[in-house]
Amino acid sequence: MRRWMGERESALSTFADDRAAAVARQFQWAVEELVTVRAELRKVEGLRVEADGRAASAAAEARRDAEDLRIARANLGALDASELDLLREKLRRVEQAFQEEERDRRNTERRARAAEQRVADLTRTLRLVANTVSSGGEGLASRAIPSAPLTLDWTLEYDGTAHSLRLRSASVDTRPSKARILDATGRPVAVSVRARQRRPTQVVLRIPQSVAAAVESGDWSAFRLEVEVDDVWQGAVLADRAQPVDAAPARQAAFRVVS
């Protein structure tokens, strides 16, 4: 039995190390990509400022040419055909340059918006990776100290809107301060709030319908129960009982639901 436990602990440690290394590589890639995109965003911002300046210059030049055209039209009677053709060609070139500047400015704005969206997406990815690293480290800490599961007496309560699971240690010397329920992937489903007392007599969790159904049926294979004793998380099991004890809670318990 001891050999089996040692081999299982070694396998879990290897799996946890591999997972932590993979998450660290993903985090590094995301950081490098974010740095690259931010540099590109700064470059695009510079291009946008330059394009705005060129557009303003073209607009000012167009206003000057329009004023020249107005004066030329006023003196149209005194102009010959060749001078009129030169003014028309000049106006055409100005209008064409203005359209090109406007097109460049719009393209720069589109690139800037695309770069900003990539930065936002990478920021969300980095936050997700950071949360994964945090939860992974917490999972490694919970696996680092294997021990026999703690047996808990329990009461399943329903207040008309949601279910609560009230847990009490069967041992007088061991009293958990917090409790949590994890799904098959190790993701928290419900977590109790730390009690005010150092050694509370019981902890309460607000649980979803899926966990309540598992408690009622006695099939706990899809979930894992853990409790915190003296700042260390360890496994726990519910006391074997034929039927759950339904009771209305005496008062509103302090808890939070992890979705």
Side-chain angles (χ1 to χ4, degrees):
M1 180 66 179
R2 182 174 300 173
R3 178 181 178 184
W4 177 84
M5 291 181 64
E7 293 177 352
R8 180 166 181 81
E9 180 181 359
S10 176
L12 288 175
S13 178
T14 302
F15 172 77
D17 292 341
D18 293 341
R19 179 187 177 190
V23 172
R25 287 194 298 270
Q26 182 183 7
F27 186 82
Q28 181 180 1
W29 295 337
V31 170
E32 293 175 354
E33 182 68 14
L34 179 61
V35 171
T36 302
V37 172
R38 286 189 182 278
E40 183 178 352
L41 178 61
R42 288 193 294 270
K43 180 179 178 181
V44 170
E45 287 292 341
L47 291 176
R48 180 164 61 181
V49 172
E50 181 181 355
D52 290 341
R54 292 171 63 186
S57 177
E61 185 177 355
R63 287 193 295 271
R64 289 194 298 269
D65 291 337
E67 179 65 18
D68 293 342
L69 181 59
R70 185 188 64 80
I71 296 175
R73 284 177 176 174
N75 300 326
L76 185 60
L79 296 177
D80 56 21
S82 60
E83 292 178 345
L84 184 58
D85 291 338
L86 289 174
L87 285 177
R88 288 174 178 174
E89 179 64 20
K90 184 178 181 180
L91 179 60
R92 187 189 64 79
R93 289 196 301 267
V94 169
E95 291 177 348
Q96 182 178 0
F98 181 78
Q99 292 173 358
E100 291 177 353
E101 293 291 342
E102 182 68 15
R103 184 168 55 254
D104 292 341
R105 185 182 65 83
R106 291 177 181 177
N107 291 336
T108 302
E109 288 181 352
R110 283 195 294 269
R111 291 178 59 188
R113 285 194 296 268
E116 290 172 353
Q117 183 62 39
R118 289 183 62 189
V119 169
D121 294 341
L122 282 172
T123 301
R124 286 193 296 269
T125 301
L126 285 175
R127 289 175 180 171
L128 178 61
V129 171
N131 292 335
T132 303
V133 171
S134 177
S135 62
E138 187 177 1
L140 293 177
S142 65
R143 296 182 185 135
I145 305 178
S147 60
L150 179 65
T151 302
L152 300 175
D153 194 11
W154 54 278
T155 303
L156 182 62
E157 302 175 347
Y158 183 72
D159 60 3
T161 58
H163 287 86
S164 298
L165 185 62
R166 191 176 299 271
L167 303 175
R168 297 173 295 277
S169 174
S171 173
V172 179
D173 299 329
T174 304
R175 292 183 178 179
S177 57
K178 290 178 65 177
R180 66 185 179 186
I181 298 175
L182 312 176
D183 61 13
T185 63
R187 178 174 175 268
V189 176
V191 180
S192 69
V193 175
R194 181 182 294 274
R196 296 181 179 178
Q197 300 86 356
R198 173 63 179 173
R199 296 170 62 85
T201 58
Q202 60 184 1
V203 292
V204 180
L205 301 91
R206 175 65 68 90
I207 59 176
Q209 180 62 37
S210 58
V211 177
V215 174
E216 291 176 341
S217 64
D219 182 9
W220 200 251
S221 59
F223 301 99
R224 185 170 76 252
L225 176 63
E226 293 182 350
V227 294
E228 188 183 63
V229 179
D230 296 332
D231 298 329
V232 177
W233 287 98
Q234 66 180 72
V237 295
L238 299 180
D240 189 12
R241 193 160 58 225
Q243 295 294 333
V245 178
D246 292 320
R251 60 185 180 86
Q252 185 69 26
F255 55 81
R256 64 186 178 92
V257 176
V258 181
S259 59

